[in-house]
Amino acid sequence: MNKILFNSFIAGATLLAFSSCDDMLDKVPDERVDLQSVEQVQKLLTTAYSTGNYGWLCEISSDNIIDINSEFYATQNDGKEIKMHYNLTSYGREDDEMFNFEPVKSSTSSDSPSSIWEGAYNAIATANHALQRLDEIKAENNGVESNDMKAAYAEAYLIRAYHHFILVNIFSQAYKNDEASKQDVGIPYVTEPGTKLVTKYERGNVTDTYKAIEADLVAGMERIDAVSFKYPKWHFNANAAHAFAARFYLYKRDYDKVIEHANAVLGTDRSTLPSLLMDYSGFDDCVTGVDYAEIWQGPDQANNLMLMATNSTQFRRAVGYRYATAGRALRAIEFHLGPNWNWYLMPSANVSGGTFWDGNSDHGFASAKIYERFEYTDKVSGIGYPHVIRREFTNSELLLMRAEAELLCSRHDVDGCVADLIAY
């Protein structure tokens, strides 16, 4: 199927309401609120980050997660493995569908493919409204871009590029090369604000999608020096933009550009890297999972380049239900063997503040990196909304991307790769 129907009416922010829609919407009075200034456009862009969380979909589709209703080898505190299984329910039918690579038809709730799709296109719709208004303001100013306007353009282009990047990598085949990826169905690349209730969009192919992403990425990076935010870690700040560019070019296997963008953030003096990576020192004073999460997800952490607040039940899905990081999968991820330690003496830092479903063994684990933050709407009744703060870009990831690029680039910089791995 090379065409889809996409509901493009969603404006992505409360500042925009019905304008000119077909038939039934003709009866609705025009309640559009025009964006009068660049400052208002910048405020609109604060709503242009998806609240959909693709973390659980990717995890449950990977070999990080096993079905603990099937037999698996659990390791006890004494280091012995025992064969066991459980008889647990899944968090929801959609988890059964995702684990088995079936079409997810049972739910459109948080963490479902539908929520990821809708959240990303909501963000894209908002970015498109912002870009349209910026173009109008620019024309009114004889084509001159002020610094504030450049900053707004940069953020809008990067938001549009990034959300399409997420969509194409979840809902299409992985990029191979320009020629081969012409055979793979892409995703709709939406560049105009929606004005109709239902619009038919061409999906194109993966090569087309990647070219469009790169065009927006370049347009954003050209203006990135003008970007300045009061709360930079919640926006596409300059470092986050370079980290996104590095990830994009790594997927394209353009290794020289990966190194270029990584160097823009990390520098070339490896002696400074410790100050840019994760600071674990605060863990000694942590008591609760939230305490650990405050450090992992903290905007003051130099390691965290960009954070995104999502509507998500990822943390609770990962512990106490049928599909879990457990057994040998858990040991491969978290409890690494090394030349001078055993796994049960030297777990990875990811375990800090994490939750084990069964404290005596590894029957299910979720890291405090994704610890749930609950927003109460009624504390007395105990109801509200679960959130997970995603560490969307980090210096740790950026360092590993640079190491990979150094190894695989035409220079085959093995020494550089090893130095980065040692620093990591």
Side-chain angles (χ1 to χ4, degrees), residues 13 66 76 99 101 117 170 195 207 211 236 252 330 339:
I66 66 170
Q76 305 302 292
F99 185 83
F101 298 100
W117 181 271
I170 291 177
T195 58
T207 297
K211 287 181 177 179
F236 258 114
K252 280 200 73 179
L330 175 60

Side-chain angles (χ1 to χ4, degrees), residues 91-165:
Y91 184 86
R93 168 63 184 152
E94 66 273 15
D95 282 2
D96 299 326
E97 293 166 332
M98 288 187 281
F99 185 83
N100 291 296
F101 298 100
E102 297 171 357
V104 180
K105 299 179 180 179
S106 63
S107 175
T108 59
S109 64
S110 63
D111 303 294
S112 69
S114 293
S115 70
I116 298 164
W117 181 271
E118 182 178 345
Y121 276 118
N122 280 348
I124 290 164
T126 307
N128 283 336
H129 280 287
L131 287 167
Q132 181 186 61
R133 185 60 186 130
L134 287 170
D135 286 343
E136 293 168 354
I137 296 173
K138 181 178 176 179
E140 293 165 5
N141 287 277
N142 300 315
V144 176
E145 291 185 19
S146 66
N147 280 339
D148 284 349
M149 192 181 299
K150 287 179 181 178
Y153 265 121
E155 186 174 15
Y157 277 123
L158 289 165
I159 286 170
R160 189 166 75 180
Y162 184 63
H163 287 91
H164 282 109
F165 179 72

